[in-house]
Amino acid sequence: MSNSTHDKVLEAGEIARLLSYFIILIASVGLFFAAYNIPTSRFETLGAGAFPQIVCAVIGLLTMFAIVDSLRKISYLGYGRFYTEVKAWMHRRYLVFITLGALALYILVIPIIGFSIASMIFIFTVQVILMPRTTKSIVIAFITALVFSFGLNWLFAEVFTVFLPRGVF
Amino acid sequence: MDDFLIGATQIFTFSTLVYMFAGSIAGIVAAAIPGFTVTMAIVLTLPLTFAMEPLQGIAVMLSVYVGGYTGGLISAALLGIPGTPSSVATTFDAYPMARNGEPGRALSIGVWASFFGTIISTVVLIFAAPPLALFAVKLGPWEYFSLIVFALTIVGSLVGSSVVRGMLAGLVGLLISTVGTDPILGRARFDFDIEMLQTGFPFLVVLIGIFAISQLVSEVEDAKNIRSGNSLVTGAIDFQTWKVFKEVLMRPVNLLRSSILGVLIGALPGAGGSIANLLAYDQAKRASKYPERFGKGETDGIVASEAGNSATAGGGLIPLIGLGIPGSAVDAILMASLMVHGISVGPRLILDHGDLVYGMFIAMAVASLMMLIVSVFSMRLFLRITQVPKWAIVPVVMTCCVVGAFALNNRVTDLYLLIIIGIAGYAMRALGYSLAPLVLGVILGPIAETNLRRALMTDADLSLFISRPISLIFLVAAVLSIAWAIRSHLKNSKTTKRTSNESAS
């Protein structure tokens, strides 16, 4: 039983890979034609667009090979199960999505509220989400958040003369 | 000789030595923390070195590199978890030895073996790199283009689980490198009128996104694991430094064999410490009179693994200095740091900047000595570092990544690129693409393109790529590496099919 669930997960992974091949293929075809419009020069045989075109062409060929190879591995039933398997996969790794989302939000607010405050909130929040919550670990999280936000900002400004975004305030 | 002395005077200044010392500590600390790789540590050191002299910056990064290979040993020996992929084989014997009540001896053996491995590889580097560079200066753009094709195919086929995905990652890297202005005429490419893309993808941002962000995110995949703490080996630890020094030196054959193996593997593009330690261990086991003792705490096993992985540091620098082709992701970062200082890396490096190259050799030796001193005197402190929980590390290092990505150009748009690349990198990692070929593709892309176009500007005849003998050799080698990879891939899939059939019946 556990063996067949394992197979299902593997198959869902293969379908996800197949999708990634299609995305790469479409991107390479698109860029191939985009590179076509880059003006060439009278002074050389190859223009600025030639090298990207060569790379896109090789990518295109390789993905088509990969697509054929991967289609052979996937059973007909696999596609029906794909959605549920992906949902289960995402559910198992929910912390990954929370962390990435927090990082994206953090980067977006840096220019507005400044590096120090944004980092302080980011580090503390993510640590609290990830940790086994005890009083001691929350205190540790608070201290590390303080050191690596205001402390890091100070270090870079004073020692390396790199000035991190201060925000609009 | 003059260059040697100039290089030496630059290394042996107080400030450089202090920075290198800090680098060694940082490398050991970083690699000792599970989930924090050597590559990540070097990527994050890079922005700190912008303000330094070129040689000073490189020396610091080499110290982090050398220290990092040793730091992986600590968690490998005490927790049985390799701190970095390069110390997988170290866990086989160092961990049982530590469990048998000799954790100090296990660590000492590893430290000494690493030290000798680095020294031996530096000696080989000193003798191998200059002749290679003299030979490489004579190569034309045809040979260079073919060499890069070869380097990328071998990286794609060696690293990771799938040849096709390895190749695709390398090609995607090449494609990423074409965004922005073209290297010969400066025409805009693929910017789609988005300001962020007009200057292309900054290499450092790609590196941090690919190697640090995606790696950090994958550390929090397992919700249960991250919320529990690992306990260390407890009790008194006796390092027996000098006794072990003699014990390690009493195994010159193993030491030499493992180090040379490490150098050779390090010099191959794509293969690095993560392969060297396993191969060296395997060879030591085959050559041993007592192969049955391996895996139960055998000294030779630790010596082979640690000497092997440390020796790849010097080996990887051979193609970098000799040809201007980085052998691994770490070497690509070293190359990027030289380029940030406006030094073009190639076979002429040793002719134009001899002091820099000899300085690098000296820095390697000094770094390994520092690593030794730091490890011997403060190993006890580092034992505590392995206890740092992942929940504390991940967000803090992410903040450091953000600072690093920002510090290069002081552009907030680079941060937006960072998160996009980080997410794409994690998706690729989750789908089983290996990311090292991608990074090498990004750095080799402009070199490949420049040489291809220069070759055709000199002579429009395409057949020169196969009629010039050295160029032909590289191209044939590229085809062979693909063929070999496909063959072993088919063999593997056949055996797995057979075993799954057997288990089904």
Side-chain angles (χ1 to χ4, degrees), chain A residues 17 20 44 48 127 129, chain B residues 165 189 227 392 431 433 453:
Chain A
R17 262 176 229 134
S20 76
E44 47 171 350
Q127 283 187 335
I129 292 171
Chain B
R165 283 194 294 282
R189 295 194 296 204
R227 295 217 166 124
L431 290 170
Y433 289 85
R453 285 165 70 179

Side-chain angles (χ1 to χ4, degrees), chain B residues 178-202:
Chain B
T178 64
V179 175
T181 50
D182 95 76
I184 288 191
L185 294 171
R187 274 191 215 284
R189 295 194 296 204
F190 300 144
D191 59 0
F192 304 107
D193 291 326
I194 302 170
E195 204 189 327
M196 200 160 80
L197 295 178
Q198 272 160 9
T199 44
F201 289 94

